[in-house]
Amino acid sequence: MGNFDELLFKFNQERHGNPVESYPQLAEELLNNNDQDPNFKVFRAGAITRLCTQNKNLLPQLELALDDIKGIDFSTLDKDVHTYFFYRILWACEDMPSEAARYQKHIEHFEKHIAENKDYFNSDNVRFQKYLMSILIKLSKSNFDLSKILPHIDIDRLTNDNLFSLTFFGMFYENSPKVFKKYLGNRNFSQIANSANENDRIALVNYLRCDYCDMDSRILAALAYFGDKTFKELAESGNPRDRVALLAFARIPDQKYLQQRVEALYAIFGDRSFEEIANSSDYIDRDALLAFVKIPSYLPEQVTAIDIILKTPTFDDVITPLIIYGRITTIPPHIRVEKFLDYFGNKKFSELANFDDPDIKELFLTFAKIPDINSANKRSEVFLAYFGDKSFKEIAKSTDKRERDELYHFANTPGNHFLKKREAINALIGDMSLDELLKQGIEGRKKLQLYATMCDDVSKKRSAFAALLGNRSFLEIANSNNHDRWALFDYAENIDDYDTKVAALKALIGNESYDEIITSYDSVKRAALYSLAKISRDPDEVSAINDALLKKINKPRTSQKFERSLRLARADISESFKTRTKIFNKLIDRRTYDMVVLNDGEFGKRLLLEVGGTRNNYDRKQRIDALNAILENKEYREIIETGSKLELDALLELSKNISTKSGYIQLYERERFYSLEALAKAGYKVDEIREFAEKSLEATQGELKQTNFKKVLRACEGNRASCKVQLQNAQDSANEQSSIVAQNLNTQATINTQATINTQALNNFR
């Protein structure tokens, strides 16, 4: 082939010295050259590609040239030839997008080759360096990972001009600080900003955009670039670089300059509305709007801007604003969820969630953690899609803290997959003792509380809640954070001692009147009040709470949703079956049970679970119909696999509807035996199932039914504890109870104090 430089020089002379119309003749001369050197053939293909970008009539000659290089091993070529060809085809793909497919295999090969050959781009040849920079510019516009190339470039070999070109890649290049230092030299930022060399000012703007460079230095560089000009003057200067500098400054995450960053963006916006900016064809406008919603200043205008971005179908990036929107806690959860569901459309999460893409992963996990009860089931599905085929134990032992945190968030999400969630929290706790969990601080306490809440074993619940409460008094805990207050409430629900239970509940209720508690947003106080009404031995106290509920129910301005929840609470605290049935009938309002579930959702299911219980005057058929409506004709296996706690309770209640009379086992009864056995094997309320099976076994005379009840009992024996985690220092229930009452909670003094406080509160209320 001869010398490449001479060949290229001769070709460029002939190309520049002849009009475009004569390019076919030049291409024919190249094709008629019989040089069989692979380097020449590849050079010829690159040269004809160059001619073709200016004269599209040369496509037949181009096809011949490309056919002639098939089968050539490019790794054996001279580096100059190889790079020249790649440089030319990248330009051709941009100039002739319709012909890009011709070069796809060559591009893939070259990308692979340069990724594997770390020293490929290091050369002292100035022309070669020029090709290098052009190639990097082209690759940066594609999906090629520049981190495979940039760290291996020897910047000491580059000329100043090529160093300047490399400053454009600051956002991709962790070695960028060295590049800028070498290019800028010992000059200060003011000298560079006032340099007569335009490239210096451009390099300074590139420095502002480089996240790898020191934040404080970038701020100083920005101030030097701005000089005495105002943000408005820079934005209206007509020089696009000034607007890029304003945008770069606004993106520097320095909280000390938060106000100035916002002002810089408003200068770019000018007098235009967010709608105009979102629909602008200028990428600086759109990027500025995106930077505005990312600034952590929590301005109301940011929410407006996000809304507009999400409504603009042509906007480049809607994922980032949606992630930000999902994390703004001042927006009600159900509204945030609606935005996500609008974006997801009707597709399944498994089709949408590509967790290999960090942005998509962040989007879905943000959605999964929005505390909206109505979307809990969808959010659980996202977590399961994120976990994939990994077992919970595998995730719990992962070195990736993010994965372990998401496993906790999954376990703490209400709704479906209750047994899986319990398995998840068990995996997170593993073999840790109570002391080890408490030493983890707030994270360990949250895990322990969730474990105790989901566990069916009363002694383990008591151990866990007692550990959470520690040596503090009831009053101290009642005035603590919500996690501790709920722990105190759950502790009160699971102890037998009446005085201690009442003292704990009254500490949570505090000095507020019953009316104030019922209408407050404090769910812990309301739960404690209703629980007190159910167990109190003081008829005046129960009557006062009931009157407070009735007063609020009958108030004209009470919303229908709140009124229904108050009626259900009133039914729950009532001991009269007649009163309970009357309230249930009022809430059902002559609808079918299926319509109750369809119209009222989760509330309707809670209502029907009460109807399906035995504390009312409904007959057996009505109770069974109510429970079947909750389960929506699902098979018991599906309910155990994916059901919520409420659905599992409904399945258990339904399964206990087995006649103890002798005779054949009905088909529906056989199904209920199977579900009881499956629930016991799954570890759900094993003690309750065992107690029911033992009583039924004694009462029934039929041999077949006895055999089936024995199967249920064997399943219970195979899984004695519904929570499989054995907390190492769990004490004997009786010893633990006396320890908690006597030592940890200063009970007697607390009880007396609380009784006095609440008697006064009751008298004040009356």
Side-chain angles (χ1 to χ4, degrees), residues 219-280:
I219 290 287
L220 293 174
L223 297 177
Y225 181 89
F226 298 152
D228 297 330
K229 293 181 181 177
T230 64
F231 291 153
K232 185 178 180 183
E233 288 172 340
L234 287 163
E236 295 174 354
S237 69
N239 186 343
R241 189 181 63 246
D242 290 345
R243 299 176 77 237
V244 171
L246 285 172
L247 176 58
F249 169 69
R251 284 173 165 169
I252 300 172
D254 190 333
Q255 290 298 100
K256 298 191 297 292
Y257 289 86
L258 186 66
Q259 183 62 36
Q260 291 92 328
R261 289 160 56 202
V262 173
E263 290 172 4
L265 291 171
Y266 270 114
I268 294 173
F269 300 154
D271 297 327
R272 294 171 297 168
S273 66
F274 288 146
E275 287 91 342
E276 290 177 278
I277 297 161
N279 287 290
S280 170

Side-chain angles (χ1 to χ4, degrees), residues 13 176 222 324 346 378 499 531 536 565 585 619 679 711 753:
Q13 264 195 330
S176 289
I324 296 167
N346 298 320
K378 288 186 174 70
D499 290 335
S531 183
S536 178
S565 68
N585 285 338
D619 60 36
L679 283 167
K711 281 184 180 179
T753 305

Side-chain angles (χ1 to χ4, degrees), residues 436-471:
E436 287 173 323
L437 279 167
L438 294 175
K439 282 176 184 176
Q440 289 185 355
I442 188 66
E443 286 189 15
R445 295 177 70 83
K446 283 181 179 180
K447 290 175 194 172
L448 183 57
Q449 186 165 354
L450 186 56
Y451 161 81
T453 306
M454 301 178 91
C455 180
D456 295 328
D457 188 290
V458 176
S459 65
K460 289 178 184 174
K461 276 179 177 283
R462 290 173 180 169
S463 295
F465 287 126
L468 285 166
L469 302 183
N471 295 316

Side-chain angles (χ1 to χ4, degrees), residues 624-657:
I624 289 173
D625 287 346
L627 295 169
N628 276 323
I630 294 171
L631 302 177
E632 299 176 284
N633 298 317
K634 294 177 187 172
E635 190 187 26
Y636 74 87
R637 293 183 188 86
E638 182 185 353
I639 296 164
I640 291 172
E641 176 69 20
T642 66
S644 65
K645 189 176 189 305
L646 190 150
E647 289 174 332
L648 291 167
D649 285 341
L651 178 63
L652 178 54
E653 198 64 45
L654 178 65
S655 300
K656 291 195 298 192
N657 281 280

Side-chain angles (χ1 to χ4, degrees), residues 59 149 159 226 291 311 411 586 654 666 707 713 742 754 761:
L59 287 175
I149 301 174
T159 64
F226 298 152
K311 291 174 185 174
K586 173 77 175 173
L654 178 65
Q666 300 294 325
T707 301
L713 285 171
Q754 288 301 314

Side-chain angles (χ1 to χ4, degrees), residues 175-187:
N175 285 339
S176 289
K178 293 180 182 177
V179 174
F180 284 108
K181 185 176 181 180
K182 184 171 174 60
Y183 178 79
L184 301 177
N186 296 321
R187 296 173 293 172

Side-chain angles (χ1 to χ4, degrees), residues 143-160:
N143 293 323
F144 184 75
D145 184 2
L146 287 175
S147 66
K148 295 176 180 177
I149 301 174
L150 292 171
H152 306 293
I153 295 175
D154 184 354
I155 61 173
D156 291 327
R157 290 187 175 186
L158 299 180
T159 64
N160 213 46

Side-chain angles (χ1 to χ4, degrees), residues 324-489:
I324 296 167
Y325 191 88
R327 293 173 179 170
I328 301 175
T329 54
T330 53
I331 302 173
H334 70 279
I335 294 177
R336 285 184 271 159
V337 163
E338 283 174 12
K339 292 286 184 188
F340 278 82
L341 295 180
D342 286 344
Y343 176 78
F344 296 148
N346 298 320
K347 292 184 179 179
K348 294 180 180 178
F349 292 128
S350 56
E351 297 173 8
L352 289 167
N354 172 21
F355 290 110
D356 292 330
D357 183 319
D359 291 335
I360 297 293
K361 179 172 80 172
E362 207 59 50
L363 176 72
F364 276 88
L365 292 178
T366 299
F367 166 71
K369 285 179 282 196
I370 299 174
D372 173 57
I373 187 67
N374 294 323
S375 64
N377 293 341
K378 288 186 174 70
R379 294 189 290 114
S380 295
E381 295 297 333
V382 170
F383 280 119
L384 290 173
Y386 171 65
F387 300 143
D389 298 330
K390 293 182 181 178
S391 69
F392 293 151
K393 287 184 179 178
E394 185 182 351
I395 297 166
K397 292 177 181 177
S398 170
T399 55
D400 186 346
K401 187 178 183 299
R402 175 70 182 273
E403 281 195 348
R404 300 197 305 273
D405 288 346
E406 301 307 349
L407 188 61
Y408 168 79
H409 288 303
F410 166 68
N412 197 35
T413 302
N416 287 354
H417 299 288
F418 176 80
L419 291 177
K420 282 184 180 175
K421 288 166 184 173
R422 193 166 71 181
E423 183 188 344
I425 194 63
N426 288 346
L428 283 169
I429 290 178
D431 298 326
M432 284 188 284
S433 67
L434 288 172
D435 287 340
E436 287 173 323
L437 279 167
L438 294 175
K439 282 176 184 176
Q440 289 185 355
I442 188 66
E443 286 189 15
R445 295 177 70 83
K446 283 181 179 180
K447 290 175 194 172
L448 183 57
Q449 186 165 354
L450 186 56
Y451 161 81
T453 306
M454 301 178 91
C455 180
D456 295 328
D457 188 290
V458 176
S459 65
K460 289 178 184 174
K461 276 179 177 283
R462 290 173 180 169
S463 295
F465 287 126
L468 285 166
L469 302 183
N471 295 316
R472 295 171 295 171
S473 69
F474 286 158
L475 279 174
E476 187 181 350
I477 298 164
N479 292 310
S480 183
N481 59 62
N482 255 13
H483 288 288
D484 286 351
R485 293 170 70 226
W486 275 118
L488 180 58
F489 173 78

